[in-house]
């Protein structure tokens, strides 16, 4: 019955038919670690809360310079080296107010030419400059100026410090080693705030999407951190990448897949990617090669592949950019099952392929679920494609919830999902897919409770991991000899 009386004509708009389903973001990397926050303007500093970083300018603005010992700037640099548009949801856990180490009476001398001295550590606070005799204590901005980010002190002309004078300096410096595994793992504090990697759980409410590739470089070598990454990957429908410790041999990496192993590789999760070995990177600050974990560059490579080709593509056999070599050489032959790269892949470990003329490439399609689980979900790209389909459909159902259950509603839901699946088939993300309504799964008792069940069937294309040729030497082909005569 109409809600009110009308003697006249009206038009009532009704929504009928299917609705478009929008795919969720996939090229989003969740990064947790430590940053030199004294490089950052106080208004842009963050602690245990998410920051959105879309490019190298954001990286410098919110997380500072690439300094030794701090994990976030180097990881962002590694990610953006891989190209095309990843988005990073970053959490810094290092607190400039408390994660410091004190230095007492460090003896330094001002350079006579420049009037400067540089302390043994950057990122300094609570600086006290004294005469070598202990008195007087010099006054900031009267006798000297301070560049706290770089740990540089400059004498002021007309101040009490003489040219070339020696002094004693006491200070505290932001020490990245103060960040412990519990800081990275995080928790919910007494005020209800999520800290560490738990802050990623706030991403949808704040940004409208979750990170889908999770990393904690420099910390994921520890089982406790790797375990929590796996837990969060399940909650966020993401994958997490963990690194073997520096110095791990091939045998130790393989042994680590079992209970007798001494490293963080004893998992069978289809949401964990196991990364080995570390990579050599040229450090312009020191002019030397340093080792960095593989996980940030693999994360960047996965995100770039998502953007360039699609999330249904494997990121294996793709060039890794910005590195000069591997922690240790690995034998890599495309046709040798006994090569070290193949043995690692066979054990469910993602590694690096570097053969003559190949360049340095990611190598490995499978998660830690392999070889204990042979379901196609152990292919990382299939796991991620299924996640995208499930989450995209779930979010799209908000527009149908609480409508009256009718045949029209059932048809609208099934056709909306089928339109989405057909679009994915046309893009190459699926071989085929279908959504249907099975009356047998929807008894009247469930419908009366406002509950409908639909079936979704689909199959993403698996990556071509192995090619076999059967070769025959056929003597019958000799009969063609002499045919010109």
């Amino acid at each position: 019955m109409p809600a009110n009386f009308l003697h006249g004509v009206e038009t009532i708009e009704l929504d009928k038919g299917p609705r478009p389903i929008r795919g969720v973001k996939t090229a989003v990397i969740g990064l947790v670690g430590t940053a030199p926050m004294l490089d950052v303007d106080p208004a842009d500093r963050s602690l245990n809360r998410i920051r959105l970083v879309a490019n190298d300018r954001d990286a410098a603005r919110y997380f500072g310079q690439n300094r030794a010992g701090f994990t976030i700037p180097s990881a962002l640099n590694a990610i953006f080296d891989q190209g095309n548009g990843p988005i990073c949801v970053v959490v810094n856990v290092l607190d400039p107010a408390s994660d410091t180490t004190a230095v007492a009476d460090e003896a330094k001398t001002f350079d006579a030419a420049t009037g400067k001295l540089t302390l043994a550590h950057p990122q300094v606070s609570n600086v006290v400059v004294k005469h070598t005799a202990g008195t007087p204590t010099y006054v900031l901005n009267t006798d000297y100026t301070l560049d706290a980010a770089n740990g540089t002190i400059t004498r002021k002309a007309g101040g009490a410090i003489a040219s070339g004078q020696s002094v004693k300096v006491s200070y505290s410096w932001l020490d990245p080693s103060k960040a412990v595994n519990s800081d990275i793992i995080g928790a919910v504090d007494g005020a209800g705030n999520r800290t560490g990697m738990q802050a990623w759980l706030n991403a949808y409410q704040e940004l409208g999407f979750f990170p889908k590739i999770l990393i904690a470089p420099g910390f994921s070598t520890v089982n406790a951190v790797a375990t929590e990454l796996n837990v969060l990957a399940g909650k966020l429908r993401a994958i997490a990448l963990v690194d073997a410790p520096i110095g791990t041999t091939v045998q130790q990496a393989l042994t680590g897949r079992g209970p007798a192993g001494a490293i963080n590789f004893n998992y069978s999760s289809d949401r964990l990617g196991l990364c080995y070995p570390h990579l050599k990177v040229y450090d312009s600050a020191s002019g030397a090669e340093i080792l960095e974990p593989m996980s940030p560059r693999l994360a960047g490579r996965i995100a770039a592949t998502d953007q360039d080709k699609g999330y249904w593509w494997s990121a294996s056999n793709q060039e890794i950019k910005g590195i000069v070599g591997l922690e240790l050489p690995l034998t890599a032959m495309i046709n040798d099952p006994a090569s070290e790269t193949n043995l690692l892949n066979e054990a469910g470990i993602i590694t690096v392929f570097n053969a003559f003329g190949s360049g340095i490439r990611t190598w490995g399609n499978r998660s830690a679920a392999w070889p204990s689980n042979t379901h196609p979900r152990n292919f990382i790209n299939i796991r991620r494609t299924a996640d995208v389909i499930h989450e995209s459909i779930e979010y799209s159902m908000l527009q149908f919830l609480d409508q009256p259950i009718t045949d029209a509603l059932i048809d609208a839901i099934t056709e909306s999902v089928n339109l989405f699946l057909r679009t994915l088939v046309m893009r190459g993300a699926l071989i085929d897919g279908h959504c249907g309504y099975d009356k047998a799964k929807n008894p009247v008792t469930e419908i009366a409770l406002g509950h409908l069940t639909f079936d979704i069937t689909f199959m993403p294309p698996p990556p071509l991991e192995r090619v076999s040729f059967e070769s025959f030497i056929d003597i019958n082909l000799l009969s063609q000899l002499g045919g010109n005569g």
Side-chain angles (χ1 to χ4, degrees):
M1 176 179 290
N4 54 6
F5 174 83
L6 172 66
H7 181 180
V9 180
E10 65 180 342
T11 299
I12 300 173
E13 293 186 354
L14 299 176
D15 293 328
K16 298 177 67 176
R19 316 287 174 83
I21 292 177
R22 184 168 65 97
V24 298
K25 291 182 181 292
T26 61
V28 184
I29 298 169
L31 167 63
V32 61
T34 58
M37 276 298 164
L38 296 186
D39 287 343
V40 178
D41 186 276
D44 291 326
R45 294 176 187 173
S46 60
L47 175 66
N48 285 312
R49 62 188 180 93
I50 59 174
R51 282 284 194 191
L52 185 64
V53 175
N55 50 53
D56 53 356
R57 292 188 299 274
D58 288 346
R61 174 181 175 181
Y62 295 123
F63 296 104
Q65 300 180 35
N66 190 356
R67 298 182 183 273
F70 297 91
T71 61
I72 289 176
S74 61
L76 289 173
N77 181 65
I79 289 166
F80 291 123
D81 272 354
Q82 309 314 307
N84 200 10
I87 298 173
C88 300
V89 179
V90 188
V91 181
N92 166 60
V93 303
L94 196 65
D95 187 352
S98 59
D99 292 329
T100 59
T101 294
V103 176
D105 292 339
E106 183 177 299
K108 303 296 291 187
T109 300
F110 285 94
D111 183 271
T114 64
K116 298 179 183 292
L117 65 81
T118 301
L119 299 171
H121 302 280
Q123 303 288 296
V124 297
S125 58
N126 304 319
V127 175
V128 178
V129 183
K130 296 181 179 180
H131 192 279
T132 52
T135 56
T137 297
Y138 299 111
V139 179
L140 177 65
N141 295 327
T142 298
D143 301 316
Y144 67 91
T145 58
L146 172 66
D147 177 356
N150 293 302
T152 302
I153 300 173
T154 304
R155 62 176 288 272
K156 292 196 70 173
I161 301 175
S163 176
Q165 181 177 326
S166 296
V167 292
K168 291 181 179 179
V169 186
S170 298
Y171 60 94
S172 298
W173 60 282
L174 184 58
D175 186 352
S177 70
K178 295 291 186 178
V180 296
N181 296 324
S182 59
D183 296 325
I184 296 295
I185 293 169
V188 178
D189 64 21
N193 300 309
R194 294 186 174 106
T195 65
M197 67 175 72
Q198 308 304 319
W200 290 330
L201 295 169
N202 298 330
Y204 189 82
Q205 286 297 101
E206 293 189 29
L207 303 172
F209 51 83
F210 284 120
K212 294 299 181 183
I213 309 162
L214 311 181
I215 55 173
F219 297 93
S220 65
T221 55
V222 177
N223 263 320
V225 175
T227 297
E228 190 60 26
L229 282 169
N230 185 37
V231 170
L232 278 178
K235 291 181 179 180
L236 301 177
R237 281 202 179 112
I239 61 163
L241 306 177
V242 303
D243 297 287
I246 288 178
T248 300
T249 65
V250 173
Q251 180 173 333
Q252 288 169 334
L254 295 174
T255 305
R257 295 294 280 129
I263 68 167
N264 55 321
F265 274 13
N266 188 18
Y267 295 92
S268 60
S269 170
D270 63 2
R271 296 196 175 277
L272 277 186
L274 309 177
C275 302
Y276 173 82
H278 276 57
L279 308 175
K280 289 182 180 178
V281 179
Y282 178 76
D283 178 40
S284 57
S286 63
E289 293 178 357
I290 60 173
L291 291 177
E292 290 186 356
M294 180 181 173
S295 59
R297 293 184 188 271
L298 179 58
R301 185 66 263 159
I302 293 171
T305 301
D306 283 4
Q307 297 281 43
D308 294 338
K309 300 176 179 179
Y311 53 82
W312 54 92
W313 277 68
S314 171
S316 181
N317 197 16
Q318 312 269 347
E319 183 183 6
I320 308 176
K321 299 176 182 177
I323 67 173
V324 296
L326 310 184
E327 177 186 2
L328 73 169
L330 298 175
T331 58
M333 290 290 291
I334 199 169
N335 58 356
D336 182 7
S339 66
E340 289 170 329
T341 53
N342 191 71
L343 291 173
L344 291 164
N345 279 181
E346 187 179 10
I349 300 170
I350 302 167
T351 187
V352 179
F353 190 95
N354 185 19
F356 183 82
S358 70
I360 303 175
R361 313 181 76 80
T362 56
W363 201 250
N365 293 298
R366 300 178 188 261
S367 66
W370 177 265
S372 63
N373 187 336
T374 59
H375 190 279
R377 279 195 305 267
N378 72 70
F379 285 117
I380 291 173
N381 66 309
I382 290 182
R383 171 70 277 172
R384 299 183 71 230
T385 301
D387 288 342
V388 169
I389 292 171
H390 296 155
E391 195 164 302
S392 299
I393 292 173
E394 287 171 4
Y395 288 165
S396 74
M397 289 300 106
L398 179 63
Q399 59 195 318
F400 295 114
L401 284 177
D402 301 324
Q403 293 188 23
I405 297 176
T406 63
D407 282 339
L409 178 66
I410 293 170
D411 290 343
I413 291 174
T414 55
E415 189 54 27
S416 295
V417 176
N418 281 321
L419 281 172
F420 178 58
L421 296 176
R422 285 196 291 270
T423 300
L424 296 183
V425 171
M426 288 187 292
R427 291 176 178 172
L430 295 180
I431 303 299
D432 201 359
H434 177 73
C435 174
Y437 177 82
D438 186 348
K439 292 187 69 172
K441 294 183 180 179
N442 289 275
V444 293
T445 51
E446 284 299 302
I447 297 175
L449 292 172
H451 179 207
L452 295 179
T453 299
F454 297 85
D455 290 335
I456 301 174
T457 304
F458 61 89
M459 183 64 212
L464 177 61
E465 189 175 65
R466 180 172 184 162
V467 179
S468 298
F469 293 97
E470 294 186 353
S471 174
F472 304 92
I473 297 177
D474 186 355
I475 64 171
N476 292 317
L477 299 178
L478 295 173
S479 63
Q480 299 181 35
L481 292 174
N484 293 331

